[in-house]
Amino acid sequence: MKLPLFFLLLAVMLSSGGCGAPGGERRSLEPDFNTENHPAQESWNMTLYLTDAGIRKGSVKAGHAAEYRNREKNTYYLDRGVTVVFYGRKGNPPTTIRADKAVIHENQDIDASGNVVVTAGNNTVIRTAYLRRTAKDAMIRSNRHVTITREDGTIQGQGFESDQSLKRYRIFQGSGEGLIK
């Protein structure tokens, strides 16, 4: 899934809050201010809707967001509870990623960490400490311990990869219990 408007919408959202007093004088950054070590922009309790040609493709919510600009790249650090929702095609239920924090990279890859829980409309729940959702192929991957729970059983392992809708996944070094019909 492409998220071409994500960075535009996040930039508008972050810049709309402003840092100065209402009606007060706006100051620009000092010429020697280093935005590699300090956020260029911040926002609190933000919600961002991702659209493509007027169709909602997803949303991002976070208690806090900070944009860092490093060598022509923008990276967004989200924390204080992050929820990312990707809506399915043709009205399919969404896939939701919840985590303590996340990083959104310039190429739109998302790294989520801290109590990561991924749910999908097919009643699949994935729990792990870290995962990466790559924008190029809309895949979700982790190299950490993972627990995948479905109606027919629970599988644990060290690492996994899955399509975004959690319909097809592979678990590495797996073990678990299941219902045999």
Side-chain angles (χ1 to χ4, degrees):
M1 173 192 329
K2 292 185 179 182
L3 304 175
L5 295 178
F6 175 77
F7 291 106
L8 175 63
L9 292 173
L10 187 59
V12 169
M13 182 274 315
L14 289 174
S15 65
S16 65
C19 297
E25 178 183 337
R26 300 276 182 179
R27 295 179 19 194
S28 61
L29 291 176
E30 298 296 325
D32 59 349
F33 185 76
N34 181 353
T35 59
E36 287 189 21
N37 299 324
H38 302 284
Q41 300 182 67
E42 292 185 273
S43 182
W44 286 264
N45 299 318
M46 70 97 173
T47 300
L48 175 66
Y49 295 100
L50 311 171
T51 63
D52 185 9
I55 299 171
R56 188 180 291 183
K57 297 291 185 176
S59 64
V60 178
K61 293 182 181 184
H64 175 253
E67 175 191 3
Y68 288 81
R69 297 177 183 161
N70 299 321
R71 292 179 226 90
E72 306 297 325
K73 289 177 159 178
N74 294 344
T75 305
Y76 301 91
Y77 292 85
L78 311 175
D79 57 19
R80 298 184 185 169
V82 178
T83 302
V84 180
V85 178
F86 296 107
Y87 298 104
R89 295 180 185 177
K90 300 178 184 175
N92 294 339
T95 298
T96 303
I97 301 172
R98 288 186 174 82
D100 294 339
K101 55 187 175 178
V103 177
I104 302 175
H105 300 276
E106 182 81 14
N107 65 356
Q108 301 175 2
D109 288 353
I110 300 173
D111 292 318
S113 61
N115 300 308
V116 180
V117 178
V118 184
T119 57
N122 60 2
N123 295 324
T124 301
V125 178
I126 297 177
R127 297 179 189 281
T128 186
Y130 165 84
L131 66 75
R132 173 171 272 208
R133 189 263 183 191
T134 51
K136 183 173 80 171
D137 57 5
M139 293 288 287
I140 299 172
R141 297 176 175 90
S142 179
N143 59 358
R144 309 277 172 83
H145 180 267
V146 61
T147 302
I148 300 176
T149 305
R150 294 178 44 145
E151 292 176 352
D152 57 352
T154 300
I155 304 170
Q156 296 184 32
Q158 188 68 25
F160 82 100
E161 68 179 9
S162 174
D163 64 332
Q164 185 171 283
S165 62
L166 307 184
K167 290 182 180 174
R168 287 176 271 165
Y169 56 85
R170 293 188 321 166
I171 190 163
F172 308 114
Q173 300 176 12
S175 67
E177 298 177 9
L179 176 64
I180 300 175
K181 295 181 181 181

